[in-house]
Amino acid sequence: QVQLVESGGGLVQAGGSLRLSCAASGSIFSINAMGWYRQRPGKQRELVATIIRGGSTNYADSVKGRFTISRDNAKSTLYLQMNSLKPEDTAVYYCNVIPILDNYWGQGTQVTVSS
């Protein structure tokens, strides 16, 4: 079983940038698809970005053009580069595989964007 640990969140002003990391305890090379999810206050958890082993990516419309997902299989790490952040991006961000495995959820990392 792989354990996922998210980091890199923080407080940033609108328009700023953050880079989130998701470190896996085991190899992610064999994992075909991974994603970044977020849970905004009072909302359900949502998928914001996905990446498959070959490198193809997909994004939710709300983050398209601002967020970039990447993976480093050698480091067993998933990344989310977030630019042009908006207050509505405030959320706890999580990583997981696709399809989701409930026992893979980590503690998440809080991102707060001030206006």
Side-chain angles (χ1 to χ4, degrees), residues 80-99:
L80 186 68
Q81 177 67 44
M82 306 187 296
N83 300 327
S84 302
L85 282 161
K86 304 176 181 180
E88 52 263 43
D89 294 318
T90 294
V92 180
Y93 285 74
Y94 303 86
C95 58
N96 206 317
V97 298
I98 297 170

Side-chain angles (χ1 to χ4, degrees), residues 12-115:
V12 64
Q13 288 188 330
S17 299
L18 284 174
R19 188 193 195 202
L20 306 184
S21 298
C22 168
S25 62
S27 173
I28 63 171
F29 179 77
S30 62
I31 299 175
N32 183 47
M34 298 190 71
W36 281 98
Y37 303 76
R38 70 184 180 187
Q39 187 162 18
R40 293 184 281 184
K43 304 285 188 180
Q44 288 190 330
R45 198 171 298 182
E46 60 180 340
L47 178 63
V48 297
T50 64
I51 186 168
I52 65 171
R53 192 165 52 199
S56 294
T57 58
N58 201 12
Y59 300 92
D61 288 343
S62 59
V63 307
K64 200 171 294 184
R66 301 187 297 120
F67 289 12
T68 302
I69 187 172
S70 61
R71 62 191 285 175
D72 186 332
N73 292 329
K75 295 182 178 180
S76 292
T77 303
L78 185 72
Y79 300 99
L80 186 68
Q81 177 67 44
M82 306 187 296
N83 300 327
S84 302
L85 282 161
K86 304 176 181 180
E88 52 263 43
D89 294 318
T90 294
V92 180
Y93 285 74
Y94 303 86
C95 58
N96 206 317
V97 298
I98 297 170
I100 290 170
L101 292 176
D102 284 335
N103 58 343
Y104 275 31
W105 290 118
Q107 82 290 349
T109 186
Q110 175 71 48
V111 172
T112 303
V113 184
S114 63
S115 57

